[in-house]
Amino acid sequence: MKKILLFTCLLGLFSCADDKQGGSSSSIALSPTSHSPTALLVEGLDKPLNVHNTKPRLSWQAPVATQSHYQIQVASQSSKLDINAPDLWDSGKIAGRQSLNIAYGGDTLDTNDTAYWRVRVWQKGASEPENWSDIASWEMGLLNKSDWQAKWLQAEKQMAAKITQSVENWMLYAANIHENSNDNLHKGKRETQERVLQQLAAQPTASLFRHEFSVTPNKTVVKARLHSTAAGYYEIFINGKKVDDRLADPGQTDYDKRILYNTDDVLSLLGNSENILAVHLGSGWYDEAIAFSKWNNPDAAPTSQPSRSLSYGQPKFIAQLELTFDDGSTQVVATDKNWLSHPSPVLKEGLFSGEMFDARQYQTNWHTEKSAEYLANWQPVQVLKEWPTLVLEPQLLPPIRANVEMKVKKIYQPREKVWVLDFGQNFTGIPTLHLNKLGLKVGQAINLRYAEWADVEGNISQKTGGGAPLLKQVDTYVAADATEGNAANTWTPVFTWHGFRYIEITGLEQAPDLDAITAHLVRSDVARVGKFSSSNALVNLVHDMALWSYESNLMALPMDCPIRERAGWTGDAHAALITGNYNYNLQNFWDKYLGDFRTSSHVAPAVVPGKRSHGGKLDWAAAEVMIAWEHYRHYGDLQLLASQYDSMLEYMTAGEAALEDALIRNDRYSYGDWCDPVREPGMTRKRCNSEYTAPVKTTSALLAHSANLMAKMSELLNKPEKAKHFSQLFSLISQQYHQEFYNTETGSYGSQTADAMALQLDIAPQVLRQSVADALNKDVLQSWNGHGSVGAIGQTYLYKSLSDYGYGDTAFNIFTAQGYPGYQWQFDMLNATTLWERKGVTIPALDPMRKKPPGRSLNHPFHSGYDGWFYEGLGGIRLLEDCVGYQDFALRPVFPKDLDSADVSYTTGYGEIISKWKREGNKVIWQFSIPNNSTALVSLPNQPQTLYKSGEYTLVYQEAIK
């Protein structure tokens, strides 16, 4: 049963200062589906197999309105829990409401140990506990380097494929100098690309590896764990079956510092006696040696300057299969000198170029055939004496997977025997060729070029990738004879991925059917935890555009764009942080990315991880502090703050050293409010530097904010002197910021971004905040005709700064404002489906045939920071100050007069928060749900806050008649 409460604020009945709550208020508990705790997680995962943390973090959801106590038991065998005899840890009855990331406090666990655990809780006021949870478990991984009996392997001699016509075509397309390429290159650029062609010719094939092994006879395997990873991208198989559906694996790191490894349960893949363990190995980020490298002339004079390359060396891999038998004995199968290798039918491959696959060179049954005759052409492997990395760490973030199937919406034929597939949506993905629907002949090669842009006739352009990467996206497939066993029903590239909406196909004699080629969005497989929809179709599209942009750039790190740089720009990460956190479970994703800051060789890095990193950008690198704090607020994980603290301290020290009279005044430390909109489409600008907000403002504000957060984190970590220091630093910068930039006549700090940051980062004095919001509202309405003028940084702060101070209608109307640079304009005039890096880079009215493609990315999530307001503003879901995990939160939605309904939900570690409302005449019917073991401070416009416990409620709010 739901309780309906009535709130009224009739004109003339009360003054605004005297508005009061009408009706009764009572807490109605959610009906528990179980009297036992559920959703037991370890390190944020369900039964993980390779935990390295010796004090792993345990989480659960309590089946009670308010958890007053809990008890955790951990044992080395599940049977010991059945008889209430935990031998590893019994926490006893602990007072506390928290059920997220409680550190294990029992005996120290060692390599490969298994721990079984359960938890029970007490309802507040109850003397007896609820039932015990079901038993869950975790396994420790290979904690020490000495636990790896396996050796790192690589091909003894990499081979470059013979340059056939199909290989040459692929290379010419990848180098962007094929006669059918659309771009016209000036002489100097063409000479560069011709040198790139030489590098592509020398590029070796991917590699196949295999090893036969026998399972110890007369025993039954009861447990099989495969530990594996690669310096590069890899696929691993047992008896011809792929172990997992991971793609682009493992996730990118600073490979010389750490590589992430997987542990898989492979018991079901093993045969009774003879087995084959096999690996397919490609370059990935480990051996990316062309796209951003400067070609060196071998005839030039010697130089002391190092060759610029992003490569760490030749791809390599390691694997260790551990079998446990029913009698307790074990067997280890590890990579060693007895493995064999062979060139792959993937003749060319690269992240920025693509994949060239010749099915005629496919080794039939390469991972299942056992005959000696078959192995005659396989070669020995090279065993590495040293590891290519300092440590192997468990890959706990969700792997990259094929996530959403994409289908062709339209086919163009811009030229003879050239077809262009339009998927109707820009995204990051990989194609699948349905070969039985293409009717290819033996040796027939088809080329697939990928683009974000096409003109009205369907001619693609790859110009949006810019000139920075020296490679363009192309895949080539060469057909085999199906009767020889070399042809599969489908083909999908495995060592690359692309940013695109359009695929140009050449090599076919007739148009493909619509379903002959499909694709998949690929991204880190983080769970969706947020949902938003409204009665306004345009606003729903704006929300979708943010998510398509964000998901297109989740590839084990938050990328900037999928077609050009694919880099983990740190400022982009914090610009879109609120969007990510409200829509996805990023607990382990951010844990990994923060680790990339720790391994970076740069102070205040602008990019992590990888060799494209550079340092000294204080506004961008504030991401480390901001992500760490928001991670704590969302997931209540103190361990992460402790492990990140020294790295954050390094950033703060660099920031303080750069202060001049309490502000960051040197622009070399800043990128600024990147890509704020120019006044009119087509206006030129210096790169994408901020037009309206000087970098001294944004960088100083972000350093002040970082100092404020560091003070809070220092307090949490019992570092009182540091807390005092950073609190004083925050005050110092804030006061100077206000003194220099606040204009007493206008009530503004000079721009929408500067005003919004001053309000949201607690820089503006409390007494002046309403006047600053008034000035901000005036600028939006009068100077920008209802539009926002913020760039990447300002997007996060603008909308809440308006709605928090009474301008919810202005905030909402920015999303529906007509004309440039509004979202409707972007849909109508730009044909945008994702967020462009520079939305004013072209003049659509002067190019109705779309013959002038922009030279900038069309898929940049750093402009998506607005999406958080759909949750915090329209849904009203906000975390309370100094509360964590959304266990205690606020509900105070905004009801814009031009919106009829909103349906918002957000799933926390404690359960799902729901906030949905709709208009009925002058009334707003608001339904909300508070999870078990949670509370919400609920308020309506001009009404006092009321504390609600878990339950489902409906409030009726009658708006004032104006």
Side-chain angles (χ1 to χ4, degrees):
M1 176 180 178
K2 297 180 180 179
K3 186 76 172 179
I4 299 180
L5 305 180
L6 178 65
F7 282 74
T8 59
C9 186
L10 299 176
L11 184 63
L13 183 61
F14 301 110
S15 69
C16 288
D18 293 330
D19 283 351
K20 291 179 170 53
Q21 176 178 315
S24 61
S25 174
S26 61
S27 175
I28 302 175
L30 289 171
S31 299
T33 57
S34 167
H35 290 285
S36 303
T38 57
L40 273 65
L41 302 176
V42 180
E43 300 291 272
L45 300 171
D46 179 25
K47 300 177 181 177
L49 301 181
N50 58 350
V51 173
H52 277 209
N53 186 356
T54 56
K55 294 183 178 180
R57 295 152 286 194
L58 312 179
S59 303
W60 63 89
Q61 290 183 3
V64 294
T66 304
Q67 171 189 294
S68 63
H69 297 78
Y70 64 86
Q71 181 180 7
I72 301 171
Q73 291 185 341
V74 186
S76 59
Q77 299 174 23
S78 61
S79 59
K80 292 186 177 182
L81 296 179
D82 293 333
I83 60 173
N84 199 33
D87 59 335
L88 295 177
W89 186 40
D90 189 333
S91 69
K93 185 178 179 181
I94 303 293
R97 292 175 61 223
Q98 183 178 351
S99 67
L100 288 183
N101 292 308
I102 306 296
Y104 166 72
D107 295 349
T108 300
L109 301 175
D110 203 352
T111 292
N112 287 335
D113 281 350
T114 300
Y116 299 89
W117 72 291
R118 64 180 184 174
V119 61
R120 65 179 178 178
V121 303
W122 280 257
Q123 162 67 31
K124 183 178 180 180
S127 59
E128 295 298 318
E130 302 296 315
N131 297 333
W132 283 105
S133 69
D134 290 339
I135 295 173
S137 66
W138 77 87
E139 294 181 20
M140 305 302 288
L142 303 183
L143 305 185
N144 310 298
K145 188 174 182 179
S146 59
D147 296 325
W148 288 86
Q149 299 179 36
K151 305 297 183 182
W152 284 89
L153 304 182
Q154 65 185 28
E156 187 173 60
K157 184 178 181 182
Q158 288 185 295
M159 304 293 291
K162 180 182 178 181
I163 307 299
T164 62
Q165 184 62 53
S166 56
V167 171
E168 183 177 24
N169 277 333
W170 180 89
M171 294 192 306
L172 289 168
Y173 277 127
N176 201 30
I177 53 176
H178 194 283
E179 62 181 0
N180 293 331
S181 295
N182 305 58
D183 295 338
N184 295 317
L185 306 180
H186 60 75
K187 181 180 177 181
K189 178 63 172 174
R190 185 172 182 89
E191 289 174 352
T192 297
Q193 297 308 113
E194 287 173 349
R195 293 194 291 265
V196 167
L197 191 67
Q198 297 176 38
Q199 291 178 290
L200 290 169
Q203 187 182 52
T205 70
S207 298
L208 305 175
F209 299 85
R210 53 170 279 157
H211 176 65
E212 296 180 35
F213 66 95
S214 300
V215 174
T216 304
N218 302 319
K219 292 185 179 183
T220 300
V221 180
V222 295
K223 179 179 176 182
R225 298 290 184 261
L226 176 60
H227 310 282
S228 66
T229 192
Y233 282 165
Y234 82 121
E235 300 179 290
I236 191 162
F237 305 82
I238 292 180
N239 298 324
K241 295 181 180 179
K242 196 175 178 203
V243 166
D244 193 88
D245 58 357
R246 297 183 291 263
L247 301 171
D249 197 62
Q252 184 189 3
T253 52
D254 291 312
Y255 294 108
D256 54 339
K257 307 290 180 55
R258 62 172 182 157
I259 293 177
L260 307 179
Y261 79 95
N262 301 297
T263 298
D264 295 291
D265 180 352
V266 295
L267 182 62
S268 63
L269 301 181
L270 289 173
N272 292 328
S273 54
E274 300 300 316
N275 296 268
I276 296 177
L277 185 57
V279 167
H280 193 192
L281 181 65
S283 300
W285 282 105
Y286 191 79
D287 190 21
E288 205 303 290
I290 303 176
F292 285 89
S293 301
K294 299 296 184 182
W295 185 84
N296 292 318
N297 185 347
D299 299 321
T303 175
S304 59
Q305 291 295 109
S307 173
R308 177 175 169 81
S309 173
L310 303 189
S311 176
Y312 291 83
Q314 181 179 333
K316 45 195 66 77
F317 75 100
I318 190 170
Q320 184 163 306
L321 174 61
E322 300 182 349
L323 308 178
T324 303
F325 299 98
D326 54 355
D327 63 357
S329 60
T330 60
Q331 178 184 351
V332 176
V333 180
T335 44
D336 60 18
K337 64 180 181 180
N338 297 314
W339 282 59
L340 298 173
S341 71
H342 195 284
S344 165
V346 177
L347 304 185
K348 302 288 180 182
E349 48 90 14
L351 278 171
F352 290 89
S353 53
E355 196 160 304
M356 198 282 162
F357 183 91
D358 191 337
R360 297 170 300 177
Q361 299 190 39
Y362 180 78
Q363 298 294 304
T364 307
N365 300 326
W366 70 275
H367 38 32
T368 57
E369 178 63 48
K370 298 182 177 69
S371 68
E373 180 181 1
Y374 175 80
L375 296 175
N377 293 324
W378 286 67
Q379 303 298 318
V381 296
Q382 181 179 351
V383 179
L384 275 65
K385 295 181 180 179
E386 300 291 338
W387 276 24
T389 188
L390 293 179
V391 295
L392 288 174
E393 296 181 356
Q395 182 164 255
L396 299 182
L397 82 160
I400 297 166
R401 291 192 173 103
N403 195 267
V404 177
E405 185 178 35
M406 307 293 293
K407 296 184 178 180
V408 177
K409 303 299 183 183
K410 185 177 181 179
I411 298 181
Y412 296 88
Q413 187 180 1
R415 301 185 303 281
E416 184 180 2
K417 295 185 179 180
V418 176
W419 289 275
V420 173
L421 313 180
D422 180 1
F423 287 84
Q425 174 64 54
N426 198 10
F427 66 104
T428 294
I430 50 175
T432 295
L433 307 186
H434 300 273
L435 301 172
N436 57 337
K437 298 180 180 181
L438 290 172
L440 303 178
K441 301 175 182 177
V442 177
Q444 184 177 354
I446 61 171
N447 305 299
L448 294 84
R449 293 203 302 149
Y450 302 85
E452 296 181 304
W453 178 276
D455 65 21
V456 296
E457 296 171 333
N459 295 292
I460 70 164
S461 173
Q462 295 181 313
K463 188 178 178 181
T464 63
L470 303 178
L471 297 168
K472 298 298 182 183
Q473 304 175 105
V474 59
D475 291 328
T476 296
Y477 177 85
V478 182
D481 186 345
T483 63
E484 295 181 359
N486 287 1
N489 291 326
T490 63
W491 175 77
T492 301
V494 296
F495 296 131
T496 193
W497 37 273
H498 306 290
F500 65 100
R501 171 176 172 169
Y502 305 95
I503 301 180
E504 178 198 84
I505 302 176
T506 55
L508 293 176
E509 296 299 318
Q510 59 186 17
D513 293 335
L514 278 174
D515 60 351
I517 299 176
T518 56
H520 279 87
L521 166 73
V522 295
R523 65 165 175 84
S524 290
D525 196 21
V526 294
R528 279 288 298 273
V529 295
K531 295 178 183 178
F532 167 81
S533 64
S534 76
S535 57
N536 188 298
L538 172 59
V539 171
N540 295 340
L541 282 176
V542 174
H543 170 64
D544 290 344
M545 186 159 67
L547 297 195
W548 277 110
S549 303
Y550 202 87
E551 292 193 32
S552 293
N553 290 277
L554 281 177
M555 301 293 283
L557 54 97
M559 296 188 313
D560 64 325
C561 61
I563 191 172
R564 186 171 77 234
E565 298 187 36
R566 305 181 173 198
W569 287 92
T570 54
D572 297 43
H574 77 66
L577 177 60
I578 191 171
T579 297
N581 281 341
Y582 268 115
N583 286 288
Y584 310 95
N585 181 345
L586 296 176
Q587 178 173 354
N588 287 354
F589 184 90
W590 288 135
D591 200 334
K592 180 268 177 188
Y593 187 61
L594 288 169
D596 295 327
F597 281 87
R598 295 196 298 271
T599 59
S600 176
S601 58
H602 297 276
V603 176
V607 174
V608 296
K611 291 196 171 187
R612 292 205 62 230
S613 182
H614 56 283
K617 296 299 183 181
L618 295 169
D619 54 352
W620 254 225
E624 180 178 11
V625 177
M626 296 167 70
I627 293 171
W629 176 248
E630 289 303 318
H631 186 283
Y632 171 70
R633 278 164 51 86
H634 279 258
Y635 307 110
D637 182 6
L638 270 175
Q639 283 189 16
L640 182 135
L641 295 187
S643 64
Q644 201 72 28
Y645 191 82
D646 287 346
S647 180
M648 294 189 293
L649 202 59
E650 185 180 63
Y651 163 77
M652 293 303 302
T653 300
E656 288 187 70
L659 289 172
E660 299 176 47
D661 191 14
L663 296 175
I664 304 295
R665 301 178 185 275
N666 193 323
D667 286 357
R668 71 185 178 91
Y669 296 115
S670 311
Y671 284 118
D673 193 26
W674 201 248
C675 284
D676 50 1
V678 292
R679 279 285 181 179
E680 299 290 341
M683 290 178 64
T684 58
R685 69 191 306 162
K686 180 183 178 182
R687 298 180 70 197
C688 217
N689 301 68
S690 176
E691 294 277 319
Y692 317 111
T693 311
V696 62
K697 295 182 181 180
T698 46
T699 306
S700 299
L702 288 169
L703 185 63
H705 182 49
S706 297
N708 193 19
L709 301 184
M710 284 295 288
K712 296 174 187 290
M713 289 186 277
S714 298
E715 194 73 39
L716 287 167
L717 297 173
N718 195 27
K719 300 177 185 291
E721 290 301 317
K722 289 294 184 185
K724 180 180 178 180
H725 170 79
F726 288 122
S727 180
Q728 292 173 342
L729 179 62
F730 169 66
S731 296
L732 177 70
I733 300 173
S734 297
Q735 290 168 11
Q736 189 67 29
Y737 187 102
H738 176 71
Q739 178 180 324
E740 289 199 26
F741 303 133
Y742 181 71
N743 185 317
T744 55
E745 294 183 4
T746 63
S748 170
Y749 291 90
S751 71
Q752 291 183 19
T753 291
D755 286 343
M757 294 183 79
L759 289 171
Q760 292 302 308
L761 304 184
D762 292 333
I763 293 172
Q766 184 73 44
V767 69
L768 295 175
R769 290 180 187 177
Q770 183 61 56
S771 65
V772 174
D774 296 343
L776 174 60
N777 180 67
K778 181 179 179 180
D779 188 76
V780 171
L781 296 179
Q782 296 184 10
S783 299
W784 280 87
N785 197 30
H787 294 284
S789 67
V790 293
I793 292 177
Q795 285 287 349
T796 294
Y797 309 107
L798 172 62
Y799 309 93
K800 195 159 60 168
S801 294
L802 289 165
S803 64
D804 280 359
Y805 293 91
Y807 297 113
D809 287 339
T810 301
F812 175 77
N813 291 338
I814 291 173
F815 298 105
T816 60
Q818 296 299 299
Y820 173 84
Y823 292 97
Q824 187 70 65
W825 181 89
Q826 294 176 51
F827 293 130
D828 293 344
M829 302 303 292
L830 301 182
N831 196 27
T833 61
T834 45
L835 293 161
W836 286 28
E837 181 182 21
R838 299 187 189 182
K839 49 183 166 283
V841 70
T842 65
I843 308 176
L846 299 182
D847 185 27
M849 301 299 287
R850 295 171 60 88
K851 295 295 183 180
K852 298 178 180 179
R856 297 290 171 178
S857 158
L858 309 188
N859 195 345
H860 246 69
F862 68 5
H863 284 307
S864 71
Y866 63 78
D867 198 74
W869 187 75
F870 295 153
Y871 292 89
E872 291 188 328
L874 297 181
I877 302 170
R878 299 194 184 188
L879 187 60
L880 292 172
E881 189 71 21
D882 300 324
C883 295
V884 296
Y886 282 79
Q887 186 173 25
D888 300 301
F889 57 95
L891 283 173
R892 48 189 178 105
V894 175
F895 305 134
K897 66 181 181 181
D898 292 330
L899 187 65
D900 291 331
S901 68
D903 189 344
V904 186
S905 67
Y906 173 58
T907 300
T908 76
Y910 292 95
E912 185 180 35
I913 302 169
I914 298 174
S915 175
K916 56 190 297 186
W917 56 266
K918 64 179 179 179
R919 276 198 164 78
E920 293 183 0
N922 288 332
K923 295 179 180 179
V924 176
I925 313 300
W926 178 31
Q927 297 174 303
F928 58 89
S929 178
I930 303 168
N932 280 321
N933 198 26
S934 301
T935 69
L937 270 178
V938 176
S939 60
L940 287 165
N942 302 315
Q943 299 288 348
Q945 292 182 328
T946 304
L947 183 67
Y948 285 80
K949 296 183 179 180
S950 61
E952 296 178 351
Y953 304 90
T954 298
L955 305 186
V956 179
Y957 170 68
Q958 186 160 334
E959 296 179 297
I961 301 173
K962 296 183 180 180

